[in-house]
Amino acid sequence: MSTTTEAWFAVAQIGVLLVLLSAVHLPLGAYMARVFTSPRHLRVESAAYRAVRVDPDAEQTWRGYLLSLLGFSMASILALYALGRLQAHLPLNLGFSGLDPSGAWNTAVSFVTNTNWQWYSGEAAAGHLLQMLGLAVQNFVSGAVGIAVAIALVRGFSRSLTDGRVGNFWSDLVRANVRILLPIAFVAAILLVAGGVIQNFLPHEAITTVGGGSQDVLGGPVASQEAIKQLGTNGGGFFNANSAHPFENPSGWTNMLAIFLTLMIPFSLPRTFGLMVGDRRQGWAILGAMGALFVAAVGLLTWSELAGPGAAPDAAGAAMEGKETRFGLGASALFAATTTLTSTGAVNTTHDSLTAPGGGLAMFDMMLGEIAPGGVGSGLYGMLVVAIVTVFLSGLMVGRTPEYLGKKIGQKEITLVALYVLTMPLLVLVGTGVSVVTGAGLAGPLNTGPHGLSEILYAFTSASNNNGSAFGGITSGTPYYNTLLGLAMLVGRFVPIALVLALAGRFASQPAVPASAGTLPTHKPLFVGLVGAVAVVVVGLTFVAALSLGPVVESLS
């Protein structure tokens, strides 16, 4: 296929995707708003509340909400760690041994934090029970935790003088799973099975290949896990090849379905936000900022791959190294941009084989904080934090106390925001810096020079942003990287969540301030442009040196 044809095919795919997302934005966004504002509890939800002995109607302060979230997450880490360590003694283990201590720790933290970083090959280390009871369950609940935190922050904006009460964590967690994630994932799994994704409990079986040889092939409940892997912006693959494996992603239309599932909830949550705060225009503004950054990022990464700078792409006619021919350059670039702009981490191509500017753009997408549109829930609250920064900076320019949605942004509020903004860059730069000056850190990357630095930088960017994708050249399944990346995932997930909930509590305690002539309109195109500019400038100023030493130097060479 010629470059021109590939380019038009890429444009067509992006157009189809935007049409599909537009079709679900209004109904899904409105539905999610009803889910979290309805006073009714379904019978299955009431049974869950009785089982854990909680009152779903008891409003929690932000501290109570946070303690419930942390307690649930820590219990999940311990349970998943135990499953990994004891796998050899459990049914459906396929003969696999238990994970070693550092590997079990990394896996437990990875899936509970919605990162789904995998240091192991799924088909060579994880049995069916660990995949279903451990990893797939965390795919649901970790995604639901992100949605719950976003809804708590939205309540902070929509409430006044509530003594910091932002809802009930247990109710939000259960509703996000029962009413949103489970129904959509069920339908998606059926569609994936219809598209050729496998769903069974078969162990390894020897098959005869087309060439007459023999190969061991693993079956498993793949479609059910693939559905929530994409829908919950998780990313952990059943197989090591992830979404490049034909059992996970057989064709072009299943590839498009996977991308659509990844984006449908993050791009619909701004509608939920607008409805819950009582001003739909605010939701459109946040959606506009997300959408503009998304289209720009997809376009640049697609152009980088189609241009294919380098001797090998020039000789081959395209930058097809590490890519599946059944998808092509356009679909591979769209998938790569989608997964790094969200917190998904699934891959249908080897990111280590992206062109130098393409790999740098994938890293930059994550360094934005994954806000365009970001993970389920985490993308919305991340973008709202950027909006608060924008309002604060705009207020400084005109010399008045900044306000956003009727809530004043004072010293304590902006301190929480500043700590949120600084957490991820600190983890990325410190983790990368330590790794490039220690023997254990330098033993990981396959390459030396700028690309070797990029492999390490990508790993810590991915872990700290709870993404989970990697430059495959790095050997991360060592005690050093398992431990350090696990810490980056843990801090990168729960410190920002704690700061967001504290911010929600402060906003919920404030009285609503009526808009005046000096209030910055936060629903107009000017504000949308300012939000996008602030997001890009903050990232550029923070990571420009690291990116210059890695992808930029590699591109110039």
Side-chain angles (χ1 to χ4, degrees), residues 294 297-299 301-302 332-342 351 362 365 372:
F294 175 81
V298 170
L301 204 153
T302 302
S332 298
L334 177 57
F335 201 102
T338 296
T339 59
T340 50
L341 286 165
T342 61
H351 286 195
D365 291 345

Side-chain angles (χ1 to χ4, degrees), residues 166-490:
V166 294
N168 185 287
F169 168 73
W170 303 104
S171 176
D172 292 341
L173 177 73
V174 171
R175 288 186 179 202
N177 274 300
V178 172
R179 303 193 194 187
I180 300 172
L181 297 177
L182 276 166
I184 300 176
F186 179 80
V187 174
I190 293 175
L191 292 175
L192 289 170
V193 170
V197 180
I198 66 171
Q199 182 75 11
N200 54 54
F201 292 99
L202 296 176
H204 285 91
E205 287 191 341
I207 64 169
T208 302
T209 65
V210 176
S214 179
Q215 180 179 346
D216 281 342
V217 176
L218 176 67
V222 177
S224 55
Q225 188 159 325
E226 189 74 12
I228 188 58
K229 156 191 158 182
Q230 301 295 152
L231 180 67
T233 59
N234 296 287
F238 201 95
F239 300 96
N240 187 47
N242 208 281
S243 290
H245 199 290
F247 285 180
E248 287 195 31
N249 192 8
S251 63
W253 81 264
T254 59
N255 188 68
M256 180 59 71
L257 176 60
I259 296 172
F260 172 67
L261 289 171
T262 303
L263 296 170
M264 63 185 300
I265 292 178
F267 266 131
S268 297
L269 277 171
R271 175 69 173 180
T272 305
F273 162 67
L275 292 172
M276 290 184 67
V277 298
D279 188 348
R280 298 178 183 179
R281 300 174 301 174
Q282 303 297 333
W284 287 117
I286 294 299
L287 177 66
M290 287 179 171
L293 290 171
F294 175 81
V295 171
V298 170
L300 286 172
L301 204 153
T302 302
W303 171 81
S304 298
E305 294 306 300
L306 288 174
D314 288 343
M320 283 300 296
E321 178 191 340
K323 299 180 178 68
E324 279 292 321
T325 55
R326 68 180 186 274
F327 301 136
L329 284 173
S332 298
L334 177 57
F335 201 102
T338 296
T339 59
T340 50
L341 286 165
T342 61
S343 63
T344 308
V347 294
N348 75 348
T349 187
T350 304
H351 286 195
D352 204 18
S353 295
L354 293 173
T355 61
L361 285 166
M363 267 191 277
F364 190 83
D365 291 345
M366 291 187 289
M367 290 169 176
L368 280 174
E370 294 179 322
I371 54 174
V376 286
S378 60
L380 177 61
Y381 65 69
M383 183 57 88
L384 290 176
V385 168
V386 175
I388 293 170
V389 174
T390 304
V391 171
F392 179 76
L393 294 176
S394 302
L396 291 179
M397 293 178 186
V398 298
R400 65 175 278 125
T401 302
E403 304 165 7
Y404 185 50
L405 301 181
K407 300 301 173 74
K408 288 188 176 294
I409 304 169
Q411 178 185 354
K412 293 183 178 179
E413 287 79 13
I414 202 61
T415 298
L416 293 171
V417 170
L419 291 173
Y420 179 100
V421 171
L422 291 172
T423 297
M424 182 269 290
L426 184 66
L427 290 171
V428 173
L429 298 177
V430 170
T432 302
V434 170
S435 297
V436 298
V437 296
T438 58
L442 290 173
L446 174 66
N447 298 278
T448 58
H451 195 78
L453 173 62
S454 294
E455 290 178 354
I456 297 175
L457 179 62
Y458 193 106
F460 282 96
T461 302
S462 177
S464 303
N465 281 285
N466 302 128
N467 182 277
S469 63
F471 270 13
I474 191 167
T475 301
S476 60
T478 62
Y480 173 84
Y481 277 108
N482 275 340
T483 302
L484 199 57
L485 291 174
L487 288 172
M489 296 174 208
L490 201 65

